[in-house]
Amino acid sequence: MKKVHAFTDDALGDLDAVGIADAIAAREISAAEAVEAALARIDAVNPQLNAIAFDDRERARKRAVDSDFPAGSFVGVPSIIKNNTDFAGLPTCHGSAAVAPNPASANEAFTNQFLATGVNLVGASNMPAFGLTATTEYVDREPTRNPWDTDFSAGGSSGGSAALVAAGALPIAHANDGGGSIRIPAAACGLVGLKPSRGRTAPAKQTEDAPIDLVCNGIVSRSVRDTARFLDDSQGFRPGPGLPPVGLVEGPGEKRLRIALITEPITGQLLDSDTQRCVTDVAELVESLGHRTEMVPLPVDRVYIRQFIDYWSLLAFALDRTGKRLHDKGFDRKQLDSFTRGLSRNALRHFYRMPSSIRGLRRSTAAFRSLHEQFDVILSPTLAHLPPEIGYLDPGIDFGEAMDRLTRYVAFTPANNTSGTPAISLPLGQSKSGLPVGIQFSADLGDERTLLELAFELEAARPFARIQDA
């Protein structure tokens, strides 16, 4: 395996974000030492991983020296923002040459929510063009690679963030999720990835007014407590309107859960042998902890696949035709990649059925959430097969083939985006070759607490594999 990591005996050590913040607060290390260690680690691994979209180290250094941070859980902790979210002074290029690299004039809403945790942003992380695919690969530049094995995909669309956290360059990083884009790279890179309930965190600027807002902001991390602290801080800054409070979750819950086990992808294909083995093993683990599992089918018809692709294509069509309004006057649609153009053409070809597809997705929400009338949690693989090798999901291949491969890969994640329900990917398995295998747990709208309590319990029962030990 071609493994790349940056863990070393420096100011960051092998601490998670809470550990680093505690060390800074105790004056065992300074925020300046923390950011210098992070920058050295980034410089060590980024040539192999290609995870950085824009470097902003000088401003990060100044903030560290000035101690210019809000009083959150992660004061002075180095982190990064995904390059589809405005951070004043950095270009927001969405992974595409079609977007002019003009610096953002102001933060968008989620950026302020993230900064309220106290993080020190060192730049922006790579993502595929407009976050429309599940690998961080391009038609015009080098891909972002998986630190567990650089021949493989880091997932997408938050692939740059996941690669940096998995490699130990940063303890946490911003990610967002419109069809699995937090959970997919978390699964591929062996991380914790929570997609919150719709509205729990500030919406993404580009999609908040869409007919169905699929996108939720969050983070990828190496520990459950980092994700729990992030969620609690984010709610202190901006509570999710209409959602029950989560509060700070600090450990396992006492309630034994009724868990629905779903192992058949909506596409009908079989899981690969490693994924099947890992999900079966985790189902046995949760049973051994006193929870009750029951195998059930996904209560969503296969037509959901077409309806989701129709809607996904509509998002690309909007980019293609109104990019100057959505992004910047310097937007150049001639520079759009072939996959984005293929999605846009697909939307135009099937525009007549778009209203029925949107209605179908809304109906599927009721069907999917009906599982929670009987079950507290749904257990499934995060992905239908192991992370693919670089090139398998290349956005430059034939559009029909790319779409078919993508659909089969991400068969389990989109239902939580259309329904708005929370889901978390946990690194509870490994393939025989040593690649991470993510296991997904989802709950009903607003019930992140149950997911985090279960995640704490599983992390204690089966500590997550560490890249520096493998």
Side-chain angles (χ1 to χ4, degrees):
M1 294 182 73
K2 300 173 183 176
K3 190 171 295 180
V4 174
H5 76 78
F7 286 100
T8 189
D9 184 19
D10 59 11
L12 302 183
D14 61 0
L15 298 172
D16 64 0
V18 172
I20 294 167
D22 288 347
I24 292 172
R27 299 189 178 183
E28 296 168 4
I29 62 172
S30 67
E33 289 171 323
V35 79
E36 290 300 335
L39 293 172
R41 289 183 178 203
I42 288 170
D43 290 343
V45 299
N46 195 57
Q48 293 79 39
L49 299 180
N50 188 37
I52 302 289
F54 292 100
D55 188 293
D56 198 28
R57 65 181 61 202
E58 294 311 320
R59 290 201 300 172
R61 282 172 165 151
K62 186 176 187 307
R63 280 190 297 270
V65 170
D66 295 344
S67 296
D68 186 19
F69 306 109
S73 291
F74 304 134
V75 171
V77 173
S79 189
I80 202 162
I81 198 156
K82 185 176 174 180
N83 197 221
N84 62 356
T85 304
D86 287 349
F87 179 39
L90 281 190
T92 312
C93 288
H94 298 263
S96 174
V99 181
N102 298 321
S105 59
N107 296 340
E108 67 178 84
F110 176 76
T111 306
N112 290 328
Q113 190 171 24
F114 190 36
L115 291 171
T117 68
V119 291
N120 189 6
L121 299 181
V122 301
S125 61
N126 269 336
M127 57 177 290
F130 305 108
L132 292 171
T133 188
T135 187
T136 307
E137 297 180 55
Y138 307 93
V139 298
D140 59 354
R141 66 197 87 166
E142 287 297 303
T144 297
R145 296 178 179 274
N146 192 322
W148 287 85
D149 188 330
T150 55
D151 286 339
F152 288 81
S153 169
S157 62
S158 307
S161 289
L164 290 166
V165 175
L170 296 169
I172 58 170
H174 168 228
N176 48 32
D177 191 316
S181 290
I182 292 173
R183 294 160 288 155
I184 294 164
C189 293
L191 301 175
V192 177
L194 171 68
K195 183 205 86 70
S197 297
R198 181 182 292 133
R200 178 70 73 188
T201 53
K205 185 174 72 173
Q206 276 75 33
T207 60
E208 60 181 318
D209 296 324
I212 302 173
D213 185 4
L214 301 177
V215 180
C216 291
N217 280 296
I219 63 166
V220 286
S221 71
R222 296 192 300 266
S223 69
V224 175
R225 71 174 183 170
D226 278 357
T227 293
R229 287 286 190 94
F230 159 77
L231 196 66
D232 185 53
D233 274 21
S234 74
Q235 298 308 282
F237 181 80
R238 174 200 173 273
L243 293 171
V246 177
L248 177 59
V249 182
E250 298 185 276
E254 296 183 1
K255 179 183 177 183
R256 298 300 85 187
L257 304 173
R258 303 162 300 164
I259 299 176
L261 175 61
I262 297 177
T263 60
E264 181 181 346
I266 192 172
T267 55
Q269 90 243 33
L270 296 175
L271 302 177
D272 66 22
S273 58
D274 281 310
T275 303
Q276 181 66 63
R277 172 180 54 80
C278 289
V279 74
T280 300
D281 189 38
V282 171
E284 292 172 355
L285 174 62
V286 298
E287 286 269 3
S288 74
L289 295 170
H291 305 287
R292 180 172 60 83
T293 65
E294 181 180 334
M295 182 88 74
V296 301
L298 186 69
V300 177
D301 192 276
R302 228 171 259 185
V303 71
Y304 174 90
I305 300 171
R306 176 181 62 75
Q307 292 166 344
F308 188 89
I309 293 172
D310 281 351
Y311 188 67
W312 203 241
S313 299
L314 178 63
L315 302 181
F317 180 81
L319 288 166
D320 184 9
R321 300 308 174 96
T322 65
K324 289 183 183 293
R325 181 175 62 81
L326 287 174
H327 293 289
D328 186 274
K329 290 182 179 178
F331 183 89
D332 182 4
R333 64 183 297 226
K334 294 178 183 176
Q335 297 296 317
L336 287 172
D337 66 290
S338 53
F339 185 72
T340 302
R341 290 199 305 270
L343 281 169
S344 179
R345 287 194 298 269
N346 186 67
L348 187 61
R349 189 178 305 120
H350 300 119
F351 221 82
Y352 67 93
R353 68 187 188 202
M354 207 63 70
S356 65
S357 289
I358 291 171
R359 287 195 300 271
L361 292 177
R362 287 174 172 155
R363 283 194 299 270
S364 73
T365 291
F368 185 66
R369 290 187 64 189
S370 70
L371 277 175
H372 294 294
E373 295 170 8
Q374 300 177 59
F375 299 99
D376 302 298
V377 168
I378 302 167
L379 162 60
S380 73
T382 306
L383 296 163
H385 60 75
L386 296 180
E389 290 190 75
I390 296 290
Y392 179 77
L393 292 174
D394 188 316
I397 66 175
D398 174 76
F399 175 74
E401 182 67 19
M403 201 71 238
D404 181 60
R405 291 178 178 182
L406 181 63
T407 301
R408 286 185 277 118
Y409 183 43
V410 301
F412 290 98
T413 54
N416 297 100
N417 297 90
T418 51
S419 65
T421 54
I424 192 169
S425 181
L426 298 175
L428 290 168
Q430 281 194 302
S431 73
K432 291 180 179 177
S433 65
L435 286 173
V437 176
I439 303 299
Q440 177 172 264
F441 298 86
S442 59
D444 203 6
L445 192 68
D447 195 15
E448 288 92 337
R449 171 167 282 275
T450 294
L451 293 180
L452 290 169
E453 288 176 343
L454 179 59
F456 269 113
E457 185 175 13
L458 292 170
E459 183 183 34
R462 179 169 296 170
F464 305 148
R466 306 193 319 164
I467 196 170
Q468 64 268 43
D469 296 336

